[in-house]
Amino acid sequence: MKNLREDAFRIIKSSIDSVLPEKAVQQELEKMNLQDNIHIVAIGKAAWRMAKAAKNFLKERVKDGIVITKYGHSQGTIESLQIYEAGHPIPDENTIKSTKKAIAMVQNLREDDVVLFLVSGGGSALFELPVENVTLEDIKKVTDMLLKSGANIVEINTVRKHLSRVKGGNFAKLVEPAKIYSLVLSDVLGDRLDSIASGPAYPDSTNTKDVEKIIKKYDLQLSEKILRALKNETPKHLNNVETRIIGSVTKVCESAVRIAQHLGYNTMILTTTLDCEAKEAGSFLAAIVREEKERERPLNTPCAIILGGETVVHVRGNGKGGRNQELVLSAARGIKGYQEVLIASVGTDGTDGPTDAAGGIVDGETINRLQEKGIDVEKVLNNNDSYHALQSIDGLVITGPTGTNVNDLTFILCN
């Protein structure tokens, strides 16, 4: 019989390796004909590695640059580039300071200058300068409120764009008349370019009416000052930008298929757009496992059923966890007692929510092991405390920061 746990970790590692940014950046730059006067602006969790790859390829053609990434995600100096670390998922003072530095670098460029804009997930929090009369504290409160409301990433970014001087195409306006070439690692389902990192260099398809609908949908209690600021409209047309997607969750899932096939599994991708509540997704995956174990469908065993996407968590408790941990812990309830089955879910960036874990891994014995430790799974889920429950039974997946970010990889393995 296969060792499902060993295979799961091989699938996770190799799939994430397949979307590390260095190769993708170089391959794209080889297709382009960039000359001199290149200014690099890199934002997001993969910013350092993307910028390093670009600098290594372009060499002396790079005049200067700024890298803004999450704390712990930079890996040293890069010649002629300034490196900054800032807060994620909530922006902080370093977010504002580094964004101002980036604006100062590009604001007076000429038509023959080029900004190489390297964008990856996390850019919304890491690249921010509020509109007039809005403070960093205001942005923090609104972001925290949205994250806890259960809003999806497109909805969250729709609101944030209308409070920002750089989001929603505004950064591209600041760069004019210089040209921007954007290379993007997508962490948004469907690869919506106006939502990835809140679209600093892409025409915004959302408007203030969309913002009003989101506020009403989630009953967000916002101050009059914020409501007035949210009436700021974003650019709908840009003439100085060319954008290319160089990585996405689809590629991760396709890589997982190849790896699982190599390991001897029958495979299928069920979806690359999983975007419901994490607990609901967990229950859904458990139902698939039961169908597989009891009726051997949709695939003959051994099998690997692969999903990509990004679920949401409506935070009601004060525990510690992330969407992937909550998903697998919820799934564990529905596969209790089933043998030779495993469910894993991880964030490709190596961080799941405000934790040091990429995600979690469970099997048919998970609930029994938790019960032996006196842990009530329903209480844990209601308190959003999946991290400590999984930690107690070696159910966390810890990869450390990976240097990329293209949504989440979830899969079922069955013998």
Side-chain angles (χ1 to χ4, degrees), residues 253 270-272 274 284-285 305-309 408-412:
C253 290
L270 191 60
T271 181
T272 58
L274 185 68
F284 174 57
L285 264 66
I305 300 171
I306 294 157
L307 306 88
D408 301 336
L409 172 66
T410 303
F411 58 88
I412 297 166

Side-chain angles (χ1 to χ4, degrees), residues 17-18 35 81 132 142 195 254 257 285 302 306 368-369 378:
D17 284 348
S18 75
Q35 302 302 315
L81 273 60
E132 190 175 356
V142 173
S195 193
E254 290 169 350
V257 163
L285 264 66
I306 294 157
N368 290 334
R369 290 196 293 270
E378 297 303 324

